[in-house]
Amino acid sequence: MFIAQELRKKNIAEYLLYMWQVEDTIRAFDCSLARIKHEYVERFDYTDEQKEDEVDWFGNLIRMMNEEGCREKGHLQINKVTLQTLCELHEQLMASPKFPFYNTAYYKVLPFIVELRNRGANKEENEIETCLNALYGVMMLRLQKKEITPNTQNAVKDLSNFIGMLSDYYKKDKEEPIFVP
């Protein structure tokens, strides 16, 4: 909860990736709040009150996962809405002539997006989700200490830069709208 709150303020893409990891963590503990409390939350150097808050947060997420039918796979609606907001901002940035650097970054990663989709990524998902899924996949490989090829590392660097730029525009837009209706 505390990490999620900070990430949401600082970098929306990192927040989404973290929340996807939280969803997977909940699944790894079989959606059991008792297990999460004793086997996971207890390991953190939190006060008792912070631990209670963290357990409550996980309890709410578990409840939502059960209600939304994503105990085994998929993402919570709150995360889908955040992703959709990012996608809408991406479309606005692409349609505007005021953001040439963003457009350049997009066209730099477009071949990677096409390649990921050709390799079997869900062709129905939008391009931003494809990028985030790639970043999440590499993050999981790193956590498992698996080898990442130089080509993948280069692609991830460009994808990270592009998604980072989108996150920066998201933050700016929240502080002061970039696109005035």
Side-chain angles (χ1 to χ4, degrees):
M1 174 181 90
F2 302 109
I3 295 169
Q5 289 172 336
E6 281 305 304
L7 286 175
R8 187 163 183 99
K9 290 179 210 168
K10 291 180 182 177
N11 186 310
I12 197 67
E14 288 181 10
Y15 164 79
L16 262 180
L17 294 173
Y18 177 76
M19 289 303 296
W20 289 358
Q21 186 178 15
V22 167
E23 291 168 342
D24 283 344
T25 299
I26 290 170
R27 290 181 188 112
F29 286 100
D30 299 318
C31 297
S32 166
L33 185 58
R35 284 191 62 206
I36 289 170
K37 178 181 180 181
H38 296 294
E39 298 173 39
Y40 187 70
V41 174
E42 285 299 323
R43 298 186 328 195
F44 294 106
D45 188 26
Y46 290 156
T47 65
D48 288 343
E49 185 179 335
Q50 287 173 317
K51 286 180 183 177
E52 282 180 40
D53 290 344
E54 191 82 359
V55 169
D56 287 345
W57 182 68
F58 272 102
N60 287 327
L61 292 175
I62 291 168
R63 181 185 47 77
M64 288 188 288
M65 288 174 75
N66 286 324
E67 289 172 0
E68 296 174 22
C70 56
R71 279 180 65 101
E72 294 178 23
K73 65 178 185 170
H75 298 298
L76 288 165
Q77 193 62 36
I78 55 172
N79 296 331
K80 290 178 183 178
V81 169
T82 302
L83 176 62
Q84 184 59 38
T85 303
L86 270 180
C87 293
E88 290 167 4
L89 178 59
H90 165 70
E91 290 169 11
Q92 290 177 305
L93 291 166
M94 290 300 297
S96 173
K98 296 179 182 180
F99 305 96
F101 293 114
Y102 184 81
N103 274 267
T104 300
Y106 167 75
Y107 285 109
K108 187 174 183 180
V109 299
L110 185 56
F112 301 128
I113 294 169
V114 170
E115 183 179 342
L116 287 165
R117 287 186 169 181
N118 287 338
R119 285 188 179 175
N122 182 354
K123 291 174 179 34
E124 299 300 314
E125 72 186 16
N126 61 63
E127 295 169 325
I128 301 305
E129 188 171 4
T130 299
C131 293
L132 289 168
N133 277 328
L135 295 174
Y136 186 76
V138 170
M139 183 176 79
M140 291 295 104
L141 290 173
R142 286 185 177 138
L143 287 172
Q144 297 167 17
K145 301 201 184 317
K146 292 191 176 175
E147 184 181 343
I148 300 165
T149 66
N151 285 345
T152 300
Q153 289 176 10
N154 289 333
V156 165
K157 181 179 168 215
D158 290 340
L159 288 168
S160 293
N161 288 338
F162 169 66
I163 292 297
M165 192 179 292
L166 178 58
S167 291
D168 289 345
Y169 281 122
Y170 177 90
K171 185 176 177 184
K172 288 177 187 174
D173 189 53
K174 290 297 171 200
E175 293 167 357
E176 185 176 327
I178 297 172
F179 299 100
V180 182

